[in-house]
């Protein structure tokens, strides 16, 4: 049984990015620059943005933070995106989701120049991924694939189950696995008999947002489990803790390899954002 160390894998990827950034700068080019737009004061978003800014500092990427009030008009946010698109000193643009209700996330994402869309959420990049063409891949599934490749040299022919069909995790994850020639099933809230689907999978990627939905007894012995879920739960003693979408303690008894929560997919997501920003800088 292997507990997949996402923290260590992420540190390695950040070190690779840092070395490439340092080489660029030594060659007389400017450091890559990432503009991070945070709207409102959602506490979870605040934590994510802080972690992204910290990773930029560690890799030598310049981060430019734009904070807008929760009541900002959509037109003002779109104008900021336009200005960042036009700014030659900005390589990557990230608008932290969720946005307040008056700002339409689809419209805002579509306003981002696809060449600066380091989150990979723009329809052009989503379309390129669906077509198997190079483009920016969303950071969470990209990180999951890296972790999977650390366990499986070759994913061809593997039975892979992706639980969740969101545009930021489930769908792009499935597209990446198809690209690796896995046999891919996507399960979602309307799927019938999730335990049976899990039971035949060599690879399970859970991106649901339901604490410990996937039980250890459902897993095929030896399966590789990537747990994307981040769920805050309150224990019997009233203390808060984070759990994934997979019952970790049960899964380690059956799986061949499993990611912990926290310390699995989360750190890889941010490291992949750094990698995408480096690529955006060209
Ligand atoms: P989402 O709410 O957009 O999508 C959840 C998906 O789960 C939906 O497609 C839905 O159909 C499916 N689903 C719901 N109930 C189900 C059930 N009972 N059986 C099967 N499928 C079911 O969520 P998301 O944005 O994809 O995020 C999923 C989880 O991953 C959340 O916990 C989120 O916090 C976490 N997340 C983590 C990272 C990271 O970096 N680690 C990044 C993004 C999201």
């Amino acid at each position: 049984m292997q507990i997949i160390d996402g923290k260590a894998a992420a540190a390695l990827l950040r070190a690779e990015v840092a070395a490439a950034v340092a080489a660029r700068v030594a060659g007389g080019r400017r450091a890559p620059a990432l503009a991070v737009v945070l709207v409102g004061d959602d506490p979870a978003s605040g934590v994510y943005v802080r972690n992204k800014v910290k990773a930029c500092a560690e890799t030598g990427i310049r981060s430019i933070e734009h904070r807008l009030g929760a009541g900002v008009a959509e037109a003002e946010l779109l104008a900021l995106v336009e200005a960042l698109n036009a700014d030659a000193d900005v390589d990557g643009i990230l608008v932290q989701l969720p946005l307040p209700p008056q700002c339409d996330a689809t419209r805002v994402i579509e306003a981002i120049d696809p060449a600066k869309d380091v989150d990979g959420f723009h329809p052009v990049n989503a379309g390129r991924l669906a077509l198997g063409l190079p483009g920016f891949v969303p950071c969470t599934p990209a990180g999951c694939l890296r972790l999977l490749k650390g366990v499986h040299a070759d994913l061809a022919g593997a039975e892979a189950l992706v639980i969740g069909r969101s545009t930021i995790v489930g769908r792009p994850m499935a597209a990446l696995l198809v690209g690796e020639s896995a046999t891919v099933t996507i399960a979602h809230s309307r799927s019938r008999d999730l335990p049976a689907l899990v039971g035949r999978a060599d690879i399970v990627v859970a991106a649901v947002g339901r604490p410990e939905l996937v039980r250890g007894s459902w897993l095929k012995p030896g399966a590789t489990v990537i747990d994307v879920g981040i769920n805050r739960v309150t224990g019997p003693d009233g203390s808060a803790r984070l759990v994934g979408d997979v019952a970790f303690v049960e899964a380690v008894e059956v799986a061949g390899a499993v990611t912990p929560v926290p310390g699995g997919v989360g750190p890889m997501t941010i490291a992949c954002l750094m990698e995408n920003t480096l690529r955006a800088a060209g």
Side-chain angles (χ1 to χ4, degrees):
M1 224 302 295
Q2 181 193 349
I3 303 219
I4 300 169
D5 189 344
K7 260 190 185 166
L12 215 63
L13 179 54
R14 287 198 307 272
E16 272 175 44
V17 172
V21 169
R24 264 177 77 94
V25 173
R29 303 176 71 193
R30 66 161 174 75
L34 173 66
V36 182
V37 181
L38 176 59
V39 184
D41 40 26
D42 177 62
S45 294
V47 172
Y48 296 146
V49 164
R50 238 189 343 270
N51 288 338
K52 288 167 186 175
V53 167
K54 201 173 124 206
C56 283
E58 196 188 320
T59 48
I61 290 172
R62 180 178 161 230
S63 62
I64 309 151
E65 268 186 86
H66 290 270
R67 285 172 185 269
L68 301 176
V72 71
E74 185 186 83
E76 196 181 322
L77 177 55
L78 290 171
L80 173 60
V81 169
E82 283 308 328
L84 294 171
N85 283 343
D87 188 340
D89 287 332
V90 169
D91 301 301
I93 302 170
L94 180 155
V95 178
Q96 184 66 47
L97 302 178
L99 293 174
Q102 76 279 10
C103 298
D104 183 279
T106 303
R107 216 160 14 231
V108 172
I109 289 165
E110 285 184 356
I112 296 172
D113 178 347
K116 296 189 177 189
D117 169 39
V118 286
D119 256 342
F121 294 164
H122 191 286
V124 166
N125 284 313
R128 294 187 70 87
L129 175 59
L131 294 172
L133 298 172
F136 287 111
V137 174
C139 303
T140 298
C144 293
L145 185 62
R146 272 187 172 264
L147 294 176
L148 279 171
K149 284 187 163 177
V151 179
H152 301 266
D154 186 7
L155 294 164
E159 286 276 353
L161 175 69
V162 178
I163 315 176
R165 58 176 162 184
S166 73
T167 52
I168 64 168
V169 191
R171 283 169 204 241
M173 185 74 242
L176 285 174
L177 286 165
V178 169
E180 296 295 325
S181 301
T183 303
V184 183
T185 304
I186 304 177
H188 46 75
S189 54
R190 305 292 296 274
S191 294
R192 289 193 297 257
D193 203 355
L194 186 61
L197 295 173
V198 171
R200 59 165 218 241
D202 304 309
I203 288 161
V204 177
V205 181
V208 185
R210 299 263 185 287
E212 302 185 326
L213 171 77
V214 177
R215 309 315 305 187
S217 60
W218 299 1
L219 295 168
K220 179 174 174 178
T224 299
V225 180
I226 305 291
D227 191 349
V228 182
I230 303 175
N231 307 292
R232 189 170 293 277
V233 295
T234 313
D237 60 348
S239 65
R241 64 191 177 100
L242 291 182
V243 299
D245 291 341
V246 180
F248 181 78
V249 175
E250 297 173 12
V252 294
E253 298 295 324
V254 187
V258 57
T259 58
V261 176
V265 173
M268 272 312 269
T269 295
I270 296 182
C272 288
L273 174 68
M274 300 301 109
E275 192 187 33
N276 276 356
T277 304
L278 173 65
R279 254 193 55 216

